[in-house]
Amino acid sequence: EIRKSPKTHPLRQKLLSVELLPYQLDCIAFAAGAGRAILADDMGLGKTVTTLAFLQKMKEEKPESPSILVMPTSLIYNWQKEASKFTPKMKILIHFGQNRHKDAGAFKFYDLIICSYGVLRLDIDFLKNYRFNYAILDESQAIKNPSSLIFRSVIQLNTENRLILT
């Protein structure tokens, strides 16, 4: 039974600098146990903060294994801003732009690698060789076409677990 009162929820521990709602805590518990999950919710209900809390929990459980978060280019700044606000101790690499490193060896020094779908498609030849804990896809409708290059790139990611947000 995952559903508990907000005061007795097993994840009530301080994951973030903000109090999470019971349904957000339930989502984290489910995703942590499932290994593959879909977080489908309306805009404004806290998918970003729930995902950051989840990533913080994963960092504590597997500190040696970073996750990759893939999103449309327009959301990179927002995720970076929210991560610095809610999970300031998480080490984040923004893998984006013309001067990005094309060596996944540096990933081991970070908790989270953030990149766009376009960069993932361009850099899949070396990204697929790195083992990520989680691959998280924001605005996952970007992979709805199984014959697209983005879809084929995403499925090549070497990852233990997957979470999609929509």
Side-chain angles (χ1 to χ4, degrees), residues 117 137-155 164-166:
Y117 285 105
L137 308 178
D138 192 12
E139 300 294 339
S140 59
Q141 66 271 14
I143 64 165
K144 67 184 174 189
N145 180 354
S147 63
S148 71
L149 289 174
I150 290 174
F151 177 89
R152 291 193 305 239
S153 298
V154 164
I155 62 171
I164 62 172
L165 312 175
T166 189

Side-chain angles (χ1 to χ4, degrees), residues 40-54:
D41 221 338
D42 289 330
M43 270 181 43
L45 291 180
K47 290 185 297 292
T48 301
V49 73
T50 300
T51 303
L52 289 169
F54 173 73

Side-chain angles (χ1 to χ4, degrees), residues 57-101:
K57 179 174 174 40
M58 293 302 101
K59 172 190 168 185
E60 292 166 7
E61 291 179 5
K62 278 188 109 170
E64 72 287 349
S65 187
S67 294
I68 187 166
L69 175 58
V70 187
M71 66 196 65
T73 302
S74 61
L75 298 179
I76 290 175
Y77 172 75
N78 184 62
W79 273 97
Q80 185 178 18
K81 184 178 81 171
E82 296 294 299
S84 67
K85 179 178 175 182
F86 293 117
T87 54
K89 292 182 181 173
M90 190 175 293
K91 292 177 268 178
I92 298 173
L93 173 66
I94 305 298
H95 181 73
F96 186 76
Q98 291 180 342
N99 296 325
R100 67 187 180 276
H101 292 283

